[in-house]
Amino acid sequence: MNGRASPPAAVLTGLGGWLPPRVVTNDDLVRRLDTSDEWIRSRTGISRRHVIDPGMSTAALAVEAGALALKSSGGGDVDSVIVATTTPERLCPATAPLVAARLGLTGVAAHDVSAVCTGFLYALASAVGQIAAGLARRVLVIGAEAYSTIINPLDRQTAVIFADGAGAVVVEAGSPDEPGAIGPMVLGSDGELSDLITIPAGGSQQRSSGQPARPEDHYFQMRGRDVYRHAVERTTAAAQAALERAGWQAGDVDRFLPHQANARICSAIGDELGIPAERRAGNIDRVGNTAAASIPLLMADTVASGLLGPGDRVLLAAFGGGLTWAATTLTWPASAGLRQPTHPGSSTA
Ligand code: COA
């Protein structure tokens, strides 16, 4: 014993999710792509998704979800805003300062996190670190994506999977033993496989190459089959490591909330972990893969549907481009704000 007090934990106190009103069904996609409702449902588990209207972009989605999370946490200020996104407003500057300003939080720390579909958990880890280091006592963590702006409408492999939306949480300094405390976090990456998920054009690599970009290189590209295999292996390993660090067995998990990459990937991971189907949460059928927004949107949906409540032991895990992966655990808190019903219309909080 060195007598030092343990650093404060980040405790979940607020949650909000927001989806743009426009719904695109599989049948809508069939009208413009060589695909079918049956193919999309059987290979991805998706039946519809939400997409922004022209003129809307990531910051607007982030502000909606962020405001709902702040409200559910009782309002008030935060010391730091973190936005995880694959679709920043612009290449420079970051989106988070703009989101903070629109939320009336000018002056607070604000930065973006770029880890594609793992972005929310990486952003949460950043919040955990800021709180543990005493840099912040209350942090707003947002995952927001306008994927429809980076998806090639002619690429049937990606156009059927990815969609728009935003989810957010508020975490506050508290005790590691209290419900809502974010557990040990496992983070990893493998940049040797950075070509599996990429937007090749627009960054310094392409700009300094002297080569003009092909039009399709401005869009998100994915080697789907390779991604599938790595997603199952890496997410399972990260989730197992997070369980071990928390001192939990798979059987202790009341609710597994995996990043909604693809329904088949989620069930393969659940099977590998030995978590039965009835303890897994999913909403990909209604929202598609919303990348960094996926986990907080799923949290909000699962609470709203009554499948996640106080005392539930929760496992979160994600995988994405980079490659990146992450996982953590928490016991669901009882705070009133986290039990709000689904927000009417297009949002979930
Ligand atoms: N509609 C109809 N056919 C499609 C299609 C679509 N939307 N997309 C691809 N196909 C075709 C392919 O062209 C291929 O045809 P071919 O055999 O004539 O060449 C066939 O379906 C099988 O393609 P394949 O890529 O092997 O299919 P799959 O079973 O692996 O499913 C994905 C494709 C993209 C659904 C799957 O690879 C996947 O889910 N990958 C991971 C995606 C993901 O989760 N990414 C995010 C990670 S965070």
Side-chain angles (χ1 to χ4, degrees), residues 70-85:
L70 285 168
K71 187 175 160 211
S72 97
S73 173
D77 285 352
V78 295
D79 312 303
S80 175
V81 174
I82 308 174
V83 173
T85 187

Side-chain angles (χ1 to χ4, degrees), residues 178-249:
E178 69 182 288
I182 307 299
M185 297 208 69
V186 173
L187 306 172
S189 75
D190 184 355
E192 297 286 342
L193 297 168
S194 63
D195 288 342
L196 295 192
I197 289 175
T198 180
I199 300 173
S204 60
Q205 184 189 51
Q206 179 264 318
R207 285 170 189 235
S208 81
S209 71
Q211 300 298 317
R214 301 177 304 164
E216 62 268 34
D217 286 345
H218 287 284
Y219 287 117
F220 182 95
Q221 298 176 8
M222 176 178 74
R223 296 207 333 239
R225 197 166 268 193
D226 293 332
V227 168
Y228 190 105
R229 183 167 57 83
H230 286 289
V232 174
E233 282 176 20
R234 313 284 183 141
T235 315
T236 303
Q240 282 166 335
L243 288 176
E244 197 180 318
R245 287 189 202 174
W248 293 5
Q249 309 283 329

